[in-house]
């Protein structure tokens, strides 16, 4: 048992305790108004004890119902266990209510001393058993709704993660295709300048090429970059090519300032 599991168990126990105390308060309030008119002077402890005995047994039953829904087999011969287990849990809730009614009733005095567990259990079948089945069915309906909602959320999350991974894979494939092409052009420019004995221009190309290579390595795996960064990369690349082609290469970059921070795919301008 890990600390994380223990913390979650305490948190959910507190949530269930608070949640099932709400009907206790509502039941006490309603019974107090009704009983005070029929039986003036009835102690509040009688009403509180009755409501606690009716509602608090559902605190441990709720997580058990959740466990049964998640872990019981829904295929094959094991499917017959589903109604048996859930009906058994409803019966456990009913019997726990009867036992608490006896324990609390003897302490508060609203139950005769000779009334035992069997008497209370048999006497309450007609007015409490069906009521408990309805409550358990409602609990199960809420559990099923929350479980399907969780599954749909998990499925959407997995789908979005797969889409992001697919986009990353596609971008990486494009970058792997572009980087050799870019390296070949830059090195070819250096080679041509060296053959032409334009050593100063060749040195400028090598410096610019090193800066571009650093950018490619630093941004490897990055999906999106600001447009101004991508334009800066394109300008550096054009400067290298302009040394190679001279006046034959004329290029201009015209991008509105308000779009400079817009995100674009990395190296998206390189094929152009």
């Amino acid at each position: 048992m890990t600390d994380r599991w223990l913390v979650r168990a305490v948190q959910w126990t507190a949530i269930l305790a608070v949640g099932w105390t709400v009907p206790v308060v509502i039941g006490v309030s309603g019974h107090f108004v009704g009983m005070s008119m029929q039986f003036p002077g009835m102690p509040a402890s009688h009403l509180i004890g009755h409501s606690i005995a009716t509602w608090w047994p559902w605190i441990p039953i709720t997580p058990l119902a959740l466990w049964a829904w998640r872990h019981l087999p829904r295929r094959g011969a094991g499917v017959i266990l589903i109604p048996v287990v859930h009906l058994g849990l409803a019966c456990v809730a009913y019997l726990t209510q009867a036992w608490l009614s006896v324990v609390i009733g003897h302490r508060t005095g609203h139950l005769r001393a000779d009334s035992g567990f069997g008497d209370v259990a048999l006497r309450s079948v007609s007015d409490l058993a069906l009521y408990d089945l309805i409550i358990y069915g409602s609990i199960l309906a809420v559990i099923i709704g929350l479980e399907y909602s969780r599954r749909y959320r998990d499925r959407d999350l997995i789908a979005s993660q797969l889409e992001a991974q697919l986009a990353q894979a596609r971008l990486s494939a494009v970058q792997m295709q572009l980087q050799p092409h870019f390296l070949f052009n830059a090195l070819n420019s250096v080679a041509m300048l060296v053959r032409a004995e334009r050593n100063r221009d060749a040195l400028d190309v090598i410096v610019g090429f090193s800066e571009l290579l650093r950018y490619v390595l630093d941004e490897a795996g990055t999906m999106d970059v600001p447009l101004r960064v991508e334009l800066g990369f394109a300008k550096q690349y054009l400067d290298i090519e302009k040394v190679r082609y001279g006046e034959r290469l004329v290029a201009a970059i015209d991008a509105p300032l308000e779009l400079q921070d817009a995100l674009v795919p990395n190296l998206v301008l390189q094929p152009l």
Side-chain angles (χ1 to χ4, degrees):
M1 181 183 297
T2 63
D3 293 339
R4 183 179 178 183
W5 186 93
L6 182 60
V7 170
R8 291 189 62 184
V10 172
Q11 289 176 343
W12 278 108
T13 301
I15 292 173
L16 290 174
V18 172
W20 284 112
T21 300
V22 172
V24 171
V25 176
I26 296 175
V28 170
S29 302
H31 281 84
F32 183 79
V33 174
M35 293 297 182
S36 61
M37 298 177 61
Q38 298 182 16
F39 305 99
M42 175 178 287
S45 60
H46 294 189
L47 302 178
I48 296 174
H50 175 74
S51 293
I52 289 177
T54 301
W55 294 106
W56 275 10
W58 296 108
I59 295 176
I61 295 297
T62 302
L64 291 176
L66 175 61
W67 181 91
W69 171 255
R70 286 182 175 179
H71 294 89
L72 288 179
R74 297 188 179 90
R75 295 179 181 178
V79 73
I80 196 173
L81 291 175
I82 295 177
V84 174
V85 171
H86 287 298
L87 183 60
L89 288 174
C91 292
V92 169
Y94 172 79
L95 295 176
T96 304
Q97 289 171 331
W99 176 77
L100 276 179
S101 297
V102 173
V103 173
I104 296 176
H106 287 165
R107 289 187 175 274
T108 58
H110 74 274
L111 193 67
R112 295 198 314 266
D114 58 347
S115 296
F117 169 76
D119 298 332
V120 174
L122 292 175
R123 188 169 61 248
S124 302
V125 169
S126 59
D127 57 351
L128 190 58
L130 181 60
Y131 190 55
D132 283 349
L133 289 177
I134 295 174
I135 294 176
Y136 189 86
S138 301
I139 294 172
L140 200 57
V142 172
I143 289 174
I144 294 173
L146 293 176
E147 283 293 292
Y148 276 108
S149 176
R150 181 184 62 85
R151 291 180 185 179
Y152 283 129
R153 289 197 306 271
D154 292 345
R155 187 178 303 173
D156 291 340
L157 178 60
I158 293 174
S160 63
Q161 291 175 344
L162 290 177
E163 290 178 359
Q165 293 174 2
L166 178 60
Q168 176 66 42
R170 288 175 176 173
L171 180 59
S172 298
V174 172
Q175 290 177 344
M176 291 177 65
Q177 294 174 356
L178 291 177
Q179 289 172 7
H181 176 71
F182 150 70
L183 296 175
F184 172 79
N185 287 344
L187 292 174
N188 191 37
S189 298
V190 174
M192 292 184 64
L193 292 172
V194 171
R195 293 193 192 101
E197 296 184 354
R198 296 168 58 186
N199 296 333
R200 180 66 181 179
D201 292 337
L203 181 60
D204 291 339
V205 171
I206 291 175
V207 173
F209 170 70
S210 65
E211 294 178 354
L212 292 180
L213 184 60
R214 184 183 299 111
Y215 170 83
V216 171
L217 294 177
D218 290 343
E219 298 297 328
T222 302
M223 293 184 60
D224 299 320
V225 296
L227 178 61
R228 54 181 170 76
V229 175
E230 186 67 16
L231 291 175
F233 176 85
K235 184 178 183 303
Q236 287 181 310
Y237 181 75
L238 289 173
D239 290 341
I240 293 176
E241 293 299 301
K242 193 170 184 179
V243 174
R244 175 184 177 186
Y245 292 104
E247 296 181 355
R248 290 178 296 169
L249 177 61
V250 178
I253 297 176
D254 183 12
L257 292 177
E258 59 270 16
L259 298 180
Q260 295 291 315
D261 292 327
L263 295 179
V264 296
N266 193 14
L267 296 180
V268 69
L269 298 180
Q270 175 62 21
L272 303 178

